[in-house]
Amino acid sequence: MSEEKRTPPAPRWTFPKREGSGDKTWARLGDEWRALDGVIEGHRIYVKWTYTDDGRSHLSGLHLSDVPITADLLRAIQVGRLENAGQNMANAMLDFLNDLIPLRREKGEDPDAFADRVAKYYKMFSGISSKPAKMISETSGVPLATVHGWIREARLRGKLPPGKRGKAG
């Protein structure tokens, strides 16, 4: 019998959750960055993708910290796989958005409960767009000014942090 040489499987990459992670590097980089474990054994890397209007992703940032950067290390990072991971995330998000229930204020709904829903939608959309209010407006079929009012109310109720001019989040 002949023995076939098998290529070892690629290491499993995982996207840790941001909430409660206590990751100071991630906090410093900002919300548009994602942490990724498993790319470099024993180290976490941070990646950022830019998304085009047609839903395509492009790797636009790679951050390594607390690891000696060598030519061998950089060659070992599978950039194509990182690009695909961004595209897979974009496709999953687009599928999710297509099934998303439009955001609307229901008569008699508790204002805090609605502000919670607005904050959840805003956080979801700000992860894939620099214009989350516009995306909420388009997917929900409500005027952009209305969405801006909802976001303002959510901020006033403490469901979202204070806004920063020119930056979603």
Side-chain angles (χ1 to χ4, degrees), residues 12 28 38 42 45-47 57 60 62 65 68 74 77 82 102 105 110 122 128-129 135 138-139 144-145 148 161 167:
R12 185 167 183 267
R28 189 177 69 247
I45 70 165
Y46 305 87
V47 292
S57 70
S60 59
L62 176 64
S65 60
L74 291 176
I77 296 173
L82 285 174
R105 186 185 300 259
D110 176 50
Y122 187 84
I128 60 168
S129 172
M135 287 189 75
E138 290 171 354
T139 60
L144 182 59
H148 281 291
K167 183 175 186 317

Side-chain angles (χ1 to χ4, degrees), residues 127-143:
I128 60 168
S129 172
S130 61
K131 298 179 180 182
K134 182 180 178 188
M135 287 189 75
I136 293 170
S137 169
E138 290 171 354
T139 60
S140 298
V142 295

Side-chain angles (χ1 to χ4, degrees), residues 51 89-90 93-94 97 123-130 135:
Y51 296 95
M89 288 178 66
M93 185 57 79
L94 289 174
L97 294 179
K123 288 173 185 175
M124 281 188 302
F125 284 102
S126 66
I128 60 168
S129 172
S130 61
M135 287 189 75

Side-chain angles (χ1 to χ4, degrees), residues 39-127:
V39 176
I40 302 170
E41 189 175 331
H43 296 280
R44 177 172 283 178
I45 70 165
Y46 305 87
V47 292
K48 180 171 73 167
W49 293 278
T50 302
Y51 296 95
T52 59
D53 290 337
D54 64 355
R56 305 275 312 147
S57 70
H58 304 281
L59 187 64
S60 59
L62 176 64
H63 180 86
L64 308 168
S65 60
D66 301 328
V67 59
I69 298 173
T70 64
D72 289 336
L73 173 75
L74 291 176
R75 278 192 293 274
I77 296 173
Q78 300 170 3
V79 175
R81 191 169 169 205
L82 285 174
E83 287 175 338
N84 288 340
Q87 189 58 50
N88 290 340
M89 288 178 66
N91 291 341
M93 185 57 79
L94 289 174
D95 289 344
F96 173 77
L97 294 179
N98 288 334
D99 296 334
L100 194 62
I101 298 169
L103 183 61
R104 295 233 166 70
R105 186 185 300 259
E106 303 297 328
K107 279 192 173 188
E109 183 176 10
D110 176 50
D112 273 341
F114 182 70
D116 276 333
R117 286 196 307 129
V118 169
K120 286 178 186 173
Y121 275 61
Y122 187 84
K123 288 173 185 175
M124 281 188 302
F125 284 102
S126 66

